[in-house]
Amino acid sequence: MFNIILGLAVVALMVILVIYFINSKKTAVVEKQIDIDEQTYTLDKMIEFVKRRLDEITKINLYDIGLSEEELKRRKNKKYELKKALKGCTYGDVNDKKYVKELIYDLLAKEYGVDEINISTAIQFDSPSLLTAQDKFDILLYIYKKEFGYEALSEIIKKYNLDEFKYVQGEAKPCYVITEEEIESIYEKEKIDLTFSDKLNIVVQRIYQHYKGYSSIDEIRDMNIDGVSGGVSGLPESFISQVAQTDGSDYLTQIQEHKVQRACDSIWIMFHGKSIRLAFLSFGSEAELKRVCQNIYKYNNPGQLSDTNGYKINEMKDGSRVVVVRPSMSETWAFFVRKFDVKRATVEQWTGDTAGKEEAIDLLKFLVKGARITSITGEQGCGKTTLLMGMIENIYETMNLRITETAFELHLRKVYPTRNILSMRETDTIPGQEILDVQKKTDGSVNIIGEVATDPVASWMIQSAQVASKFTLFTHHAKTFPDLVTALRNSMLRAGVFKSEKIAEEQVVQVLNFDVHLSKDFRGKRYIERVTECTPIHSQDEYTTDFRKEKTLEGKFDLFFDNATQYFRKITDKKVYEYRNILEYIDGEYVITNKISDQNIKDMRLNMTETDAEEFDQFVEKHWGKESVFKIDKYKEERKKEAKINSRGRKTKKDKE
């Protein structure tokens, strides 16, 4: 009996210990309380708390806390969603970013005890004179974002003319810059009244951008602007010791007091073609700039950015192109984010309100509908990719598009989800030539090359224009039309496709029909400088009679030397192409100048529908007279006669008569 009682007592004690252990786990992990009285409400302390709590939530072992099956499933799903969001928000996914920020908001409001009074410890909302320029900018951007969404930054810049050319203190020449004084002046004019929810959202954004975001550019990167970059101006930290040795301690003191701009103080945006420096913003330290550079390119695991591989070109989840460089390839860490607003990329939107834009729009439309091989050239930031996306709108729905890019930029499926479109890019294991060979077997009608920037890509472009598609569109950085031909020719030679300069140049001009050259003026205005037509000059047989038929020796020598003279003249002096401008930008207006060649007009009409061909005839008659249309009609009659020839090459009885 005693043994039975002792055994029951041991079992009861074990049950009590198990229940106590389970309860202690629940209270210790799930409902962990924070001693608010001992905590401060600075941003650093809040960031530390958020990191610790999110780490606990994602690493907790749910099987150790005795949950029911339904509760366990719910907690697992919540944990999975949080892990996914924490990973996705670093790639530029705005939905994951919103999820993480809402969770941080709840943690601060419900667990950390942030209220109306202590929130001003983090940011001095109640004392405007104590707010920094970055604080005021964050508040302004938050208020405008509530009304304008991702157009918030554009609205602020346009409303207060912040993109104007100006002189600033300390600068010898005028520049595009937004200063602290301008931000403070705008903040005073707006007279902002914030609720507690607004204040907490601003604090949450500040915490998020230092925890999982892109520091001071986190909200700016999401805005609908042309791009943002960092680390591209100012003094790198590696130079500070050199400066101290050469210029003495005074300059070093200025650097330490932030009177001299450092590399980590460098934040620039691209807005409507203008590169504007945000003088009021900073990453704060070189380490923070480095953190942003190491995280901003990570979408789809493009590989490690290392000292041996000092750059990475990739895209972000929203389609932005990102380029990151690091020492020792570059003098400091730097990044370049290029955004493309595909929804607004139309030729009408690109040309704006410029006089004569109707002629420019019609000409570009007919070039595409007429299946002309067209290049879009110009300097960086002049809008080549944007115009290319606008021109694609005029390609017939029946044509399948095949796109080759270094990094996915066009994202045409977002605009045309029902069209037959496939984009490909070169990878570390698949070279571009193989991609082009694959595209030849994918029923493509139009080949679009995002940017011809290297010799192999130029070779692919010539190949695709000759045999792989109906016509090709591509972009290039050439300044003039002869420069474009020369650059493509030299690329063909360097790629080993041809050995002779003359033959390589002939191949280039035979496939290149038109060039649309874009330009950007000193004020950042983008416009079409010219549309140029290329006409190959076909070599004629200029040799004289065969010298072997001459009877006298003197006559043979004369004919031989005549032939030799013609040969060397053809090799050395003869041009292989002519070019002329069809449209030019003159005194702020688009003007149709020279006529499109008859051959191109005929070929363009063959690729158009009847309705478009009639509109093209009207366009030709309006600018170059009825004579050009009559030539077209004569050409149509000749083609009809040719079509009557039967499959064996014999003419019908009616044709013979």
Side-chain angles (χ1 to χ4, degrees):
M1 181 64 68
F2 175 77
N3 291 336
I4 294 174
I5 294 172
L6 183 61
L8 292 174
V10 171
V11 172
L13 181 61
M14 291 179 63
V15 171
I16 292 171
L17 288 174
V18 169
I19 294 173
Y20 174 78
F21 178 76
I22 292 174
N23 289 334
S24 63
K25 278 283 185 180
K26 288 183 179 180
T27 56
V29 179
V30 182
E31 301 294 339
K32 183 172 181 178
Q33 297 296 321
I34 304 297
D35 188 0
I36 300 299
D37 295 335
E38 296 179 0
Q39 299 291 339
T40 56
Y41 294 91
T42 61
L43 282 174
D44 291 338
K45 289 292 184 180
M46 290 183 182
I47 293 172
E48 185 181 328
F49 163 74
V50 168
K51 287 181 179 179
R52 186 174 70 251
R53 283 298 286 126
L54 292 180
D55 188 58
E56 291 171 356
I57 293 172
T58 54
K59 291 185 178 179
I60 184 175
N61 189 344
L62 298 175
Y63 294 98
D64 288 346
I65 55 179
L67 299 174
S68 64
E69 184 178 352
E70 183 179 349
E71 181 68 11
L72 178 64
K73 186 177 180 180
R74 188 180 68 83
R75 292 283 190 94
K76 284 175 66 177
N77 290 337
K78 187 176 180 181
K79 180 180 175 181
Y80 172 76
E81 287 179 4
L82 178 57
K83 281 187 173 182
K84 181 175 174 292
L86 288 172
K87 187 176 182 180
C89 66
T90 60
Y91 300 149
D93 190 317
V94 292
N95 294 320
D96 288 338
K97 174 181 174 179
K98 184 179 179 182
Y99 179 86
V100 174
K101 285 175 64 175
E102 288 175 352
L103 181 57
I104 295 174
Y105 186 101
D106 291 338
L107 289 174
L108 294 179
K110 296 177 181 179
E111 292 190 23
Y112 202 71
V114 177
D115 57 29
E116 282 272 14
I117 299 173
N118 56 40
I119 195 172
S120 293
T121 306
I123 298 177
Q124 300 292 331
F125 294 106
D126 299 330
S127 303
S129 60
L130 299 178
L131 291 173
T132 65
Q134 182 173 354
D135 294 335
K136 294 177 179 179
F137 176 74
D138 289 346
I139 295 171
L140 285 168
L141 195 61
Y142 172 78
I143 294 299
Y144 271 76
K145 188 178 178 182
K146 287 176 67 177
E147 182 177 356
F148 299 104
Y150 294 113
E151 296 290 338
L153 183 57
S154 300
E155 289 295 326
I156 294 174
I157 293 175
K158 288 188 288 187
K159 182 177 179 180
Y160 293 99
N161 299 319
L162 298 178
D163 59 339
E164 290 186 348
F165 215 50
K166 69 192 76 165
Y167 284 92
V168 295
Q169 186 177 2
E171 297 285 347
K173 298 180 180 179
C175 56
Y176 291 113
V177 62
I178 303 176
T179 63
E180 292 185 11
E181 292 76 16
E182 288 176 312
I183 296 299
E184 290 172 356
S185 175
I186 294 170
Y187 186 82
E188 291 177 2
K189 292 176 182 177
E190 290 290 335
K191 297 180 179 179
I192 298 170
D193 185 21
L194 297 172
T195 64
F196 171 70
S197 178
D198 294 334
K199 294 177 182 178
L200 187 54
N201 275 315
I202 294 168
V203 170
V204 166
Q205 171 58 34
R206 184 68 68 85
I207 292 171
Y208 170 83
Q209 66 190 30
H210 288 291
Y211 171 45
K212 282 292 183 180
Y214 304 125
S215 190
S216 302
I217 66 155
D218 188 76
E219 282 287 81
I220 295 173
R221 197 214 68 85
D222 295 339
M223 296 292 116
N224 289 334
I225 56 176
D226 296 335
V228 59
S229 58
V232 293
S233 63
L235 196 67
E237 282 195 357
S238 59
F239 289 177
I240 293 178
S241 60
Q242 301 174 17
V243 170
Q245 293 174 0
T246 56
D247 295 346
S249 59
D250 291 340
Y251 197 77
L252 187 60
T253 303
Q254 293 181 24
I255 295 172
Q256 292 172 345
E257 295 176 355
H258 300 174
K259 293 181 180 179
V260 177
Q261 189 184 34
R262 303 164 297 166
C264 59
D265 300 325
S266 167
I267 296 177
W268 296 68
I269 62 170
M270 181 71 73
F271 180 76
H272 292 177
K274 302 173 184 177
S275 190
I276 305 173
R277 180 168 65 90
L278 305 185
F280 60 91
L281 278 184
S282 171
F283 291 104
S285 67
E286 191 84 8
E288 186 71 356
L289 172 60
K290 180 179 177 181
R291 181 186 71 83
V292 172
C293 291
Q294 288 177 324
N295 291 332
I296 201 168
Y297 75 95
K298 290 289 184 67
Y299 180 60
N300 274 344
N301 300 318
Q304 188 65 33
L305 180 68
S306 61
D307 189 48
T308 55
N309 187 13
Y311 74 95
K312 282 293 176 183
I313 303 173
N314 197 24
E315 77 275 0
M316 304 186 73
K317 196 164 185 177
D318 64 348
S320 304
R321 182 186 69 196
V322 59
V323 179
V324 181
V325 295
R326 58 155 292 168
S328 54
M329 175 183 167
S330 63
E331 58 187 351
T332 184
W333 292 83
F335 65 88
F336 307 85
V337 178
R338 189 77 167 83
K339 297 175 71 69
F340 302 97
D341 191 0
V342 296
K343 294 182 180 179
R344 298 188 301 178
T346 62
V347 177
E348 290 79 2
Q349 179 267 339
W350 199 95
T351 52
D353 298 327
T354 307
K357 69 173 185 178
E358 292 80 9
E359 280 72 17
I361 293 171
D362 288 343
L363 179 59
L364 295 180
K365 178 180 70 174
F366 291 131
L367 291 182
V368 175
K369 290 182 179 294
R372 298 296 86 194
I373 300 171
T374 306
S375 63
I376 303 175
T377 58
E379 61 178 303
Q380 297 183 42
C382 67
K384 298 186 295 297
T385 303
T386 306
L387 181 62
L388 176 60
M389 289 189 286
M391 292 175 65
I392 290 170
E393 180 183 6
N394 295 308
I395 298 177
Y396 289 117
E397 294 277 345
T398 55
M399 294 185 178
N400 303 332
L401 309 185
R402 299 293 175 260
I403 302 160
T404 306
E405 301 178 90
T406 304
F408 296 131
E409 298 174 359
L410 295 175
H411 300 285
L412 296 179
R413 290 193 184 187
K414 292 182 180 179
V415 189
Y416 313 108
T418 60
R419 295 197 61 169
N420 189 322
I421 301 173
L422 182 65
S423 298
M424 298 183 185
R425 67 172 180 178
E426 190 176 16
T427 66
D428 294 336
T429 56
I430 305 175
Q433 186 62 53
E434 289 187 21
I435 292 175
L436 184 63
D437 294 338
V438 171
Q439 284 189 353
K440 293 176 183 178
K441 302 172 179 64
T442 59
D443 302 325
S445 301
V446 183
N447 199 325
I448 299 170
I449 299 179
E451 184 176 9
V452 177
T454 62
D455 298 336
V457 177
S459 173
W460 308 338
M461 188 279 296
I462 298 297
Q463 289 183 57
S464 65
Q466 288 177 327
V467 298
S469 60
K470 191 175 185 65
F471 70 101
T472 301
L473 301 175
F474 66 96
T475 67
H476 196 278
H477 288 108
K479 295 180 179 179
T480 65
F481 187 80
D483 288 343
L484 174 63
V485 175
T486 302
L488 293 175
R489 181 201 69 190
N490 293 343
S491 293
M492 299 283 283
L493 294 172
R494 286 192 293 265
V497 180
F498 295 102
K499 300 297 182 183
S500 168
E501 288 187 5
K502 186 69 66 175
I503 296 175
E505 190 168 312
E506 287 177 353
Q507 292 294 312
V508 170
V509 298
Q510 284 175 9
V511 301
L512 188 59
N513 300 135
F514 289 88
D515 171 43
V516 180
H517 186 75
L518 310 183
S519 187
K520 182 175 66 173
D521 64 16
F522 192 67
R523 298 287 180 180
K525 180 182 178 181
R526 301 167 176 175
Y527 59 92
I528 301 171
E529 183 179 302
R530 55 176 171 77
V531 176
T532 305
E533 180 188 16
C534 176
T535 306
I537 298 176
H538 299 288
S539 60
Q540 301 293 332
D541 188 6
E542 299 174 355
Y543 302 131
T544 54
T545 310
D546 189 350
F547 68 90
R548 288 171 295 187
K549 296 180 180 180
E550 191 69 30
K551 296 181 179 180
T552 65
L553 182 62
E554 183 178 353
K556 289 179 180 290
F557 272 113
D558 289 341
L559 289 178
F560 175 80
F561 282 114
D562 287 343
N563 288 341
T565 302
Q566 292 289 350
Y567 170 77
F568 286 112
R569 183 178 298 146
K570 178 180 179 181
I571 292 298
T572 56
D573 297 332
K574 190 173 180 61
K575 295 191 301 181
V576 298
Y577 70 94
E578 293 178 343
Y579 68 95
R580 56 179 175 272
N581 294 336
I582 307 302
L583 176 138
E584 294 182 26
Y585 184 81
I586 303 174
D587 296 331
E589 181 180 0
Y590 292 121
V591 179
I592 298 290
T593 52
N594 297 301
K595 175 180 171 293
I596 299 176
S597 64
D598 293 337
Q599 186 62 47
N600 263 325
I601 290 177
K602 295 170 185 175
D603 293 341
M604 290 168 70
R605 291 190 84 266
L606 292 176
N607 292 290
M608 296 181 187
T609 63
E610 292 184 2
T611 304
D612 288 332
E614 290 177 2
E615 292 182 5
F616 183 53
D617 290 346
Q618 296 172 5
F619 179 84
V620 171
E621 182 178 352
K622 175 184 176 182
H623 294 287
W624 302 302
K626 292 184 178 181
E627 182 181 355
S628 300
V629 181
F630 292 153
K631 290 181 179 179
I632 295 172
D633 293 337
K634 183 178 179 181
Y635 178 74
K636 287 164 63 177
E637 292 176 1
E638 293 175 355
R639 294 290 301 221
K640 287 180 180 179
K641 289 181 179 180
E642 292 176 3
K644 291 180 180 179
I645 300 176
N646 61 19
S647 58
R648 297 184 221 176
R650 296 195 300 266
K651 293 187 177 181
T652 61
K653 182 179 179 181
K654 185 177 181 181
D655 289 332
K656 291 179 180 179
E657 292 175 354

